[in-house]
């Protein structure tokens, strides 16, 4: 059976990593085969055995090549702080594939938004609604405000503070709040600086 012949599968993988998809279940559980495949294309981790999707070394190799490979890691490793931190530090939006618990971890989310402020959209609701967390980290990018909770974007006091930090925050304020005299004044004053 060609799908179970290690040499043939290795040759096929060296030509195109997606060949892992067609390997036997036995070879999808072979570290050498899977390492050869993910070294060429990390996303083929999807076709590895569940056992190897739960192997920290294999997953670290995959996410070091493409952090989005976290999507195919085991649920156990999606909840592993070291694995997820490595992924989100390389590509912030990999936060999408972290466990719910780690999407609520300030250290993990902070590492993600340091890499890409847009990553906040994958954080827990609690962190997207944490005014102090958002305001303290606005230097990471204006998209923190864009992806903050709607409750914060209608909160006048929060938006006044945000606009003072970065006037562009005004763009993400609630439509009615944009017409508020204090908000407009804060925006105009920030524009003069």
């Amino acid at each position: 059976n060609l799908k179970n012949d290690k040499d043939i599968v290795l040759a096929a993988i060296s030509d195109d990593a997606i060949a892992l998809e067609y390997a036997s279940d036995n070879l999808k559980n072979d570290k050498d085969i899977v390492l050869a495949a993910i070294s060429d294309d990390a996303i083929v981790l999807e076709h590895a055995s569940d056992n190897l999707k739960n192997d920290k070394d294999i997953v670290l190799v995959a996410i070091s090549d493409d952090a989005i490979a976290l999507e195919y890691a085991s649920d156990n490793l999606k909840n592993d702080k070291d694995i997820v931190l490595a992924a989100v530090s390389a590509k912030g939006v990999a936060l999408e594939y972290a466990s719910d618990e780690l999407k609520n971890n300030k250290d993990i989310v902070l590492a993600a938004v340091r890499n890409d402020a847009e990553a906040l959209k994958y954080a827990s609701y609690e962190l997207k609604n944490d005014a102090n967390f958002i305001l303290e980290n606005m230097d990471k990018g204006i998209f923190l405000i864009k992806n903050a909770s709607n409750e914060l974007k209608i909160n006048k006091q929060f938006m006044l503070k945000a606009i003072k930090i970065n006037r562009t925050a005004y763009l993400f304020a609630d439509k009615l709040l944009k017409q508020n005299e204090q908000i407009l004044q804060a925006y105009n004053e920030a524009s003069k600086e």
Side-chain angles (χ1 to χ4, degrees), residues 87-106:
V88 301
S89 295
K91 190 170 209 156
V93 293
L95 183 63
E96 176 180 5
Y97 304 110
S99 68
D100 288 344
E101 180 182 332
L102 292 183
K103 287 178 180 180
N104 195 40
N105 179 297
K106 284 185 179 182

Side-chain angles (χ1 to χ4, degrees), residues 31 35 38 52 54-64 77 83:
K31 262 190 165 180
L35 279 171
I38 64 174
L52 292 183
N54 195 42
D55 183 298
K56 202 168 184 172
D57 295 330
I58 293 283
V59 172
L60 279 171
V61 169
I63 63 174
S64 70
L77 292 183
I83 293 284

Side-chain angles (χ1 to χ4, degrees), residues 24-37:
S24 68
D25 289 344
N26 186 43
L27 290 181
K28 288 179 181 181
N29 195 42
D30 182 297
K31 262 190 165 180
D32 296 331
I33 294 286
V34 173
L35 279 171

Side-chain angles (χ1 to χ4, degrees), residues 12 17 31 33 36 48 56 65 67 77 83 98 101 103 129 134 152 169 175 177-179 188 192:
K31 262 190 165 180
I33 294 286
K56 202 168 184 172
D65 181 58
L77 292 183
I83 293 284
E101 180 182 332
K103 287 178 180 180
N129 198 41
I134 302 294
L152 287 181
K175 186 169 53 170
L177 200 54
K178 286 180 181 177
Q179 299 168 17
N188 288 328
K192 292 175 188 173

Side-chain angles (χ1 to χ4, degrees), residues 2 115 140:
L2 297 178
N115 179 272
K140 312 297 184 281

Side-chain angles (χ1 to χ4, degrees), residues 17-192:
I18 196 67
L20 180 63
E21 179 179 1
Y22 305 103
S24 68
D25 289 344
N26 186 43
L27 290 181
K28 288 179 181 181
N29 195 42
D30 182 297
K31 262 190 165 180
D32 296 331
I33 294 286
V34 173
L35 279 171
I38 64 174
S39 295
D40 185 49
D41 182 358
I43 300 302
V44 299
L45 178 63
E46 174 184 11
H47 303 295
S49 68
D50 289 344
N51 182 46
L52 292 183
K53 289 178 184 179
N54 195 42
D55 183 298
K56 202 168 184 172
D57 295 330
I58 293 283
V59 172
L60 279 171
V61 169
I63 63 174
S64 70
D65 181 58
D66 186 347
I68 298 301
L70 181 63
E71 176 180 5
Y72 303 110
S74 68
D75 288 344
N76 182 47
L77 292 183
K78 289 178 182 180
N79 196 42
D80 182 292
K81 195 171 181 179
D82 296 331
I83 293 284
V84 174
L85 190 57
V88 301
S89 295
K91 190 170 209 156
V93 293
L95 183 63
E96 176 180 5
Y97 304 110
S99 68
D100 288 344
E101 180 182 332
L102 292 183
K103 287 178 180 180
N104 195 40
N105 179 297
K106 284 185 179 182
D107 295 331
I108 295 289
V109 174
L110 187 56
V113 299
R114 275 189 185 129
N115 179 272
D116 183 349
E118 193 72 40
L120 185 67
K121 70 181 169 188
Y122 301 114
S124 68
Y125 174 79
E126 289 82 5
L127 285 181
K128 289 191 274 194
N129 198 41
D130 184 328
N132 290 331
F133 180 78
I134 302 294
L135 293 171
E136 289 168 7
N137 292 292
M138 278 187 56
D139 62 321
K140 312 297 184 281
I142 194 62
F143 286 108
L144 284 179
I145 296 293
K146 175 185 173 194
N147 293 303
S149 72
N150 288 332
E151 285 85 347
L152 287 181
K153 291 188 264 189
I154 63 171
N155 181 310
K156 184 169 81 171
Q157 295 310 313
F158 170 79
M159 288 308 298
L160 283 169
K161 290 176 186 174
I163 291 166
K164 286 178 183 171
I165 294 170
N166 184 330
R167 70 185 186 95
T168 311
Y170 172 82
L171 298 174
F172 301 108
D174 178 74
K175 186 169 53 170
L176 291 175
L177 200 54
K178 286 180 181 177
Q179 299 168 17
N180 177 279
E181 189 175 315
Q182 284 181 286
I183 294 289
L184 285 168
Q185 182 179 357
Y187 176 71
N188 288 328
E189 286 175 12
S191 298
K192 292 175 188 173

